[in-house]
Each structure stands twice: as structure tokens, then as C-alpha cells.
Amino acid sequence: MATAFLAAMRSKDPRSQVGACIVNRENKILGIGYNGMPLGCSDDEFPWGKCRDNEYNDKLSYVCHAEMNAILNKNNTDLTNCTIYVALFPCNECAKLIIQSGLREVVYASDKYSYKPKICAAKRMFDAVGVKYW
């Protein structure tokens, strides 16, 4: 978890810095990520604010979440039955990536958005396929 928090410090997001760290059964690090803009998209040219009435200017239209980056930044090892440590409980989109990549456990530090539909959907999917989370 400390590695996930350390990775989060690299994020340029002024409101929410999130990090993720994937480990195997021996706790060897396989991938690390933090929330940020896609490669080649300048942190200075794309929006970091929330603008719900205009998705074009909303950061959620652009930012890659920490979980996504950890999965994409993994070494060449298979992630089946591995664990992901995250600072914030994954959203529904990241839950899909976690499930598709074969991860079987999610350890999170905060579930502050547990009431939001996207988080409830993530938990529903995890429960359906047997991904443990705590």
C-alpha cells in the first residue's frame, strides 16, 4: 500500500492523487500506476477540473486511472491471481480492467465514494466473479 501512495504523489491532479501497485503471491511488484493524462497529452493543456455540464472540459474525459496505468505498465508477467493495492476503491471501468486482467484481490485504503453508482457497480461485478476486496 505504501508503494501505491508513493506512486500517487506523481499525479498532477490537484484534487485527487491516486496510486496503484500490483503484486504477485510473493509480494513482488509487477506494475505501478497513478492517475494522469495519456502518454503525449500534456498535463498543462488538458483539463484537471470537473465540469459536469461540459464533458469536453471535464478531467474524467481524459484522465487514465491509477488501476488502468498499473495494468498497462505491468512487466511481462501474467496478472492472474495477483493482488492490486489502491489508494481509492476502483470505479466500474477499472473494475472491468481488473477482472479482465485476471486479478483476484483488491486491497484499498479508502472507500469514500461507496455510495456512488459506479462504485456499487464495481462491487457487484467483483462479487459476481469472486474478486475479493477489503
Side-chain angles (χ1 to χ4, degrees), residues 56-75:
Y56 183 75
N57 290 319
D58 190 314
K59 73 176 182 176
L60 295 180
S61 294
Y62 304 99
V63 172
C64 297
H65 287 183
E67 301 91 334
M68 174 193 291
N69 281 326
I71 291 167
L72 292 173
N73 292 337
K74 74 173 181 68
N75 60 22

Side-chain angles (χ1 to χ4, degrees), residues 4 8 10 17 20-21 35 39 53 58-59 66 73 85 106 110 134:
R10 296 197 54 148
Q17 294 180 312
C21 178
N35 57 320
L39 291 176
D53 58 331
D58 190 314
K59 73 176 182 176
N73 292 337
Y85 289 84
V106 176
S110 173
W134 56 279

Side-chain angles (χ1 to χ4, degrees), residues 4-130:
F5 279 106
L6 186 62
M9 294 172 64
R10 296 197 54 148
S11 174
K12 303 289 190 292
D13 192 327
R15 293 190 63 205
S16 182
Q17 294 180 312
V18 181
C21 178
I22 300 171
V23 300
N24 64 13
R25 289 183 179 179
E26 292 80 37
N27 286 321
K28 292 181 182 173
I29 295 173
L30 305 180
I32 298 173
Y34 56 90
N35 57 320
M37 295 297 166
L39 291 176
C41 294
S42 172
D43 293 331
D44 299 323
E45 295 177 20
F46 286 85
W48 283 108
K50 291 185 178 182
C51 187
R52 297 296 185 239
D53 58 331
N54 182 352
E55 289 183 33
Y56 183 75
N57 290 319
D58 190 314
K59 73 176 182 176
L60 295 180
S61 294
Y62 304 99
V63 172
C64 297
H65 287 183
E67 301 91 334
M68 174 193 291
N69 281 326
I71 291 167
L72 292 173
N73 292 337
K74 74 173 181 68
N75 60 22
N76 289 329
T77 305
D78 182 19
L79 298 181
T80 302
N81 296 320
C82 292
T83 299
I84 186 167
Y85 289 84
V86 292
L88 190 60
F89 195 93
C91 71
N92 63 314
E93 294 299 323
C94 290
K96 294 174 196 176
L97 291 170
I98 288 167
I99 292 166
Q100 291 295 87
S101 67
L103 291 162
R104 302 308 298 163
E105 184 175 26
V106 176
V107 181
Y108 59 93
S110 173
D111 194 10
K112 68 180 182 177
Y113 299 117
S114 62
Y115 61 93
K116 291 194 173 192
K118 288 184 176 189
I119 304 305
C120 294
K123 290 177 182 176
R124 182 179 183 183
M125 287 186 280
F126 287 158
D127 290 341
V129 299

